[in-house]
């Protein structure tokens, strides 16, 4: 078994840090494996007898590995990170413009949630629709990033996905309250 040592010079690119290709559809098991290998290498117990500088570098590597791993593991964060790497700011705080059809669907979902708040079967049907919408948007994001290299389009899709994801969490909480 080969030991994966993090590429410190690649700390400005989380993909290179873990030895992965810079793309939206990544090999999640390879990400997990690279992360665990790095964490094993920088674990404080391995550097307990090292100098303060060595211990500090190990701690910095562990922190960087955690941040990079959490970013790449989450598809929304991974997409936003890829956009950022390619000079596209998703402007999440200032740009809330969405297509009218998308906003209408959001309003329809919210209305269903409000009106059917006590109806578990209806909420489960709604959750299936929301999850399918999330899956469809993720496919579109992968195509925008990995195939078309259209990071502006990916940013727009990611902004929409954040809305859908937030609603899915609210819906999940409403379902959990009924169970």
């Amino acid at each position: 078994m080969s030991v994966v040592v993090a590429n410190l010079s690649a700390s400005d690119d989380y993909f290179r840090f873990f030895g992965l290709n810079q793309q939206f559809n990544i090999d999640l098991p390879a990400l997990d494996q690279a992360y665990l290998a790095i964490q094993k290498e920088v674990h404080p117990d391995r550097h307990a007898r090292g100098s303060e500088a060595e211990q500090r570098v190990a701690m910095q590597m562990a922190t960087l590995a955690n941040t990079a791993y959490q970013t790449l593991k989450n598809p929304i964060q991974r997409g936003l990170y890829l956009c950022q790497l390619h000079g596209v700011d998703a402007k999440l705080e200032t740009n809330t413009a969405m297509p009218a059809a998308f906003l209408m669907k959001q309003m329809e979902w919210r209305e269903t949630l409000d009106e059917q708040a006590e109806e578990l079967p209806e909420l489960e049907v709604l959750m299936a629709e929301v999850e399918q919408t999330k899956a469809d948007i993720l496919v579109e994001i992968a195509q925008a990033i990995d195939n078309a290299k259209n990071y502006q389009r990916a940013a727009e899709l990611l902004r929409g996905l954040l809305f859908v994801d937030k609603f899915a969490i609210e819906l999940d909480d409403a379902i959990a309250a009924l169970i």
Side-chain angles (χ1 to χ4, degrees):
M1 185 172 115
S2 65
V3 176
V4 176
V5 178
N7 182 352
L8 248 186
S9 66
S11 61
D12 59 334
D13 179 339
Y14 296 165
F15 292 93
R16 278 195 309 144
F17 181 76
F18 288 122
L20 299 171
N21 291 329
Q22 198 182 90
Q23 60 191 40
F24 185 75
N25 280 329
I26 60 172
D27 182 347
L28 290 173
L31 172 63
D32 291 342
Q33 190 175 15
Y35 171 72
L36 292 173
I38 290 169
Q39 286 298 29
K40 187 176 168 189
E41 288 294 315
V42 298
H43 193 278
D45 291 349
R46 289 193 63 150
H47 300 276
R49 295 182 183 193
S51 69
E52 276 188 41
E54 289 169 336
Q55 290 175 11
R56 191 169 42 254
V57 168
M59 180 60 83
Q60 289 170 339
M61 288 292 293
T63 301
L64 175 60
N66 283 332
T67 301
Y69 179 74
Q70 294 305 322
T71 299
L72 298 186
K73 187 91 172 153
N74 179 300
I76 295 173
Q77 295 306 315
R78 180 170 62 247
L80 292 170
Y81 181 68
L82 277 162
C83 288
Q84 177 190 330
L85 282 176
H86 290 88
V88 175
D89 178 2
K91 297 184 175 86
L92 299 177
E93 300 80 25
T94 58
N95 187 345
T96 56
M98 292 287 146
F102 179 84
L103 293 174
M104 291 300 289
K105 180 55 75 178
Q106 294 289 304
M107 288 171 46
E108 183 184 306
W109 286 349
R110 186 142 318 277
E111 203 172 281
T112 302
L113 176 57
D114 292 344
E115 291 174 2
Q116 308 288 332
E118 303 299 318
E119 305 296 328
L120 186 58
E122 283 80 356
L123 294 183
E124 288 175 335
V125 168
L126 180 58
M127 182 57 98
E129 182 182 336
V130 171
E131 289 298 326
Q132 184 59 56
T133 299
K134 282 175 60 175
D136 293 346
I137 294 172
L138 285 168
V139 167
E140 282 190 71
I141 292 168
Q143 288 180 315
I145 292 175
D146 293 347
N147 298 342
K149 307 292 184 220
N150 185 343
Y151 299 98
Q152 202 64 52
R153 174 70 178 137
E156 293 166 13
L157 291 164
L158 285 157
R159 281 196 305 273
L161 185 56
L162 281 166
F163 277 93
V164 175
D165 198 50
K166 184 176 181 221
F167 180 77
I169 292 167
E170 287 178 45
L171 180 54
D172 192 49
D173 289 346
I175 290 171
L178 295 176
I179 298 176

